[in-house]
Amino acid sequence: MATPSSSSPATQIMLAIYEKKTTSIDLYRPLRNYIVYNYSEREAQTLEDDLQTLKQYRTDIERSSPSDSLTSRRDLLINYFRALTAIESRFPISPESDHINTLTFVWHDAFKNKLKASQQNIHLEKAAVLFNLGAVHSQLGLGFDRGQVEGRKNASHSFMKAAGVFAFLRDNVAMKACMGNSTTVDVSVECVGMLERLMLAQAQECVFENTIAKGSSATVCAKISRQVGIFYEEASAALKVAPLNQHFEKAWHSHVQLKAALFYAEACYRYGLELHDKEEIGEEIARLKSGINALSEARKSSPKGAAQQLLDAYNILEGNLNRNLERAVKENDRVYLMRVPPASSLQPLPAFQMVKSMPMTEVFDASKEKMFASLVPDSSAKALSRYTEMVDDVIRTQAEILQQGSELTRVRLKEMDLPESILALEGHSALPTALKEDVDAVQICGGPAGLEAELQQLKDLRRVNQELLVQTEELLQKEATEDAQFRTQFGTRWTRPQSSTLTKNLQDRLNRFAANLKQAAESDTRIERSVREHSSLMSILDRHPIESVLPTLGRPIMSLDANEDAILGALKQSLRQLETLGAQRAGLEDMLKEMKRKDDILPKLMTSTGSYDDLFRKEISKYDQICQEIAKNVEAQENLLVQIQAQSNEFAAVFNIEDYKASREKCFKQIEAAIAKYQEIKENVNEGLKFYVTLQDAITNMKQQCSDFVMTRSIQCREMIEEVQRQMAGLSFQDSKNSGNYSYPSVGQSNQPQRAPTQQPNTGNIPQQPHPQPQPYYSPPQQPNAGNIPQQPHPQSQPYYSPPQQQPPQQPNAPGYNQPPPPYGSQQQQPPYHLPTGRPPYTSPQNQQQPGATHEYGQPAYPGWQGPYYNAPGQQQPGSMPRPPYTVPAPYPPPNQGGYYRQ
């Protein structure tokens, strides 16, 4: 479950956009006059209702009031935009004499009301209406109660609709509205594009709030939060460049910039929780530092004017990041000792986009609009569609020609090994992309120089396991020594079985552990020997930059006519010319797209009285010039490639390119071989570390069993001393035949009492208080009841421990355990810090509650543990110890050896 949002105050701060203001204008009279003049008075009377409706729409738009319902305002703007779309295709509005030239639309800038634009075309009117519609949707989104699930969903949908309106404005109307002499920044392509990203950011932010409220995982929260930050970063980038950098108030810049940093840091915080659960402490530290740095830099660079609630959110999140960073650093210093990667080497945080701009094409579709439907015949609409198809065909054909020219250039230059050969001559050789990525991966991991530290870690882990074995052996030896001393002291009265008969199973396991460690040490030696033997081969990977090891193309030692510089200069000049032609092709393609976007012949179609075909031929001829330029460009490139081919052949002969290619390929193969050997050794080292850490867990488990056995034997020792003292004092009430016949179970036998088949004498007169007894040689501290260890004196009629002949034969468990432990290395055996599913891996076995919001975790037994104990298939018998992966026969590397070591 995710914790509450670490920056909850920020969830209450969002931005809404105010509508543009306009001046009054009379649409009724100019449009009616146009209908009368171009059609008839009768047609004007037929369309009277449409004219009155349009007039009412415009009047309502002009009289907007804060008390108006936002939903009714939204519907009015949509209906008016559809009406404007119908007008655009039927009434040519422009300064031209034969058009409607008495209408001038005036709109003020939404962010700087003193600025205004006035144009005699309908594009400014449409752009302003769309802008206001997007603003109304943003106000609707801000008005919902985001304290509830439904409120957050509705707010997110409103912001997505606002983003969809601004996207439609940017792609379809903004460019046309800005082509006039008078315009405002708020309806420019740059501004509406920024507003679209801002609305998407707020919509994604609502989703993030919902995700937090539902208690989703840290991983999901991190991805959604990162996408919020990406949207705010895009909006902030647009605000920092002209024309927006001087147009908005500082509070806008500060809000967007701080929100971008805040949600990036939020993603680092959430992602850090996931990394902590995975025990990837090194990357967690790097991510937390990155988030803290982002907050600090944003606070310094952002303008003043941010809301206090946003600053409070900064402080809360910064505190959480610092606490988690302090905890992670302590754990890494004390336990994990992982390398903290530099921030530049971190992969981008994963993001999950949950919102997108709402498609508004159907909302604004006026194809079914009946207003003024009788004015334009279908032939005009069909003619426009036909012309559009003609333009599309020209654009598509010319674009294919340009793309084929660029592809041909790339292939031909690749065949001639250009410009790589010239770069090599100048000392700027480069690795292939795939090989470069492999080298970078090796160097990020520390490279061959870092193997020494990992080899030392192998030695340290092996030493820790050796010390654990010695400590376990000492426990058993001490118990055996104490038993022998009491046996000598009491003679035949000391009837307890000898320690050596009970600890045989434990001793065998200790011997197998020792054998495993011995074999592992031999494998470590082979790894070290492999590192030494191949150090010279792998040393190439430690070179920075790696390109410094590549061969360079040298000048010829002897020259007959000293024309090398002339050959090289001519080839460079030709390549520069080829590059210029490529840049021209890119510009020509952009020109084609721009011409198509501006090509609007609808007003001409509406006023044309001649043949449409004549108009089409005249209009399509606008593309003839650019088509000729494309043909010239392609022809010039073909001639230049022929010239470059001849110059390349001459260059290759003079500078001995073939020998350079051979040496370069040899160097590439050397680097590939070094990478392969490094990866092989790295895998062996990692497998060895995993083996040692897992073996340490198994030895620790066995040490605990030995400690339990020693404790049980100590309790038995005290009870037997009491019984021997009773015998010696003549206080024993037991039958002389059964007196002193104590038989203690061996390791692996049950210590539960077994009833004898015969009736036992009454022991009711046995004293309840034990006599004072001598202090035993080994007196362990009092322990709480664990397993079946007895805690009370035993005055019952039968001894607490059963005779040897009544024990089940060959039970593997130690005394004091109800169930026998699984065979060492079996699938059932779990490390002591192997936790059940659902419990965070940092929780200790003694404290299994879920972590709270502070995320204070325990520590595992040893850093680096990643999986179950190594169990080589096919090498383990039931009840036996598994052979570790270090049992590889010499010499190293072995032939056809799989698993841990590779050839």
Side-chain angles (χ1 to χ4, degrees), residues 510-527:
L510 285 174
N511 293 338
R512 287 194 291 271
F513 280 138
N516 288 342
L517 282 175
K518 181 179 178 182
Q519 294 170 356
E522 294 173 357
S523 293
D524 293 347
T525 302
R526 286 194 289 273
I527 294 177

Side-chain angles (χ1 to χ4, degrees), residues 830-845 847-848 850:
Q830 298 290 341
Y833 50 83
H834 183 83
L835 306 178
T837 303
R839 178 148 51 89
Y842 288 84
T843 309
S844 62
N847 184 16
Q848 298 181 2
Q850 294 289 339

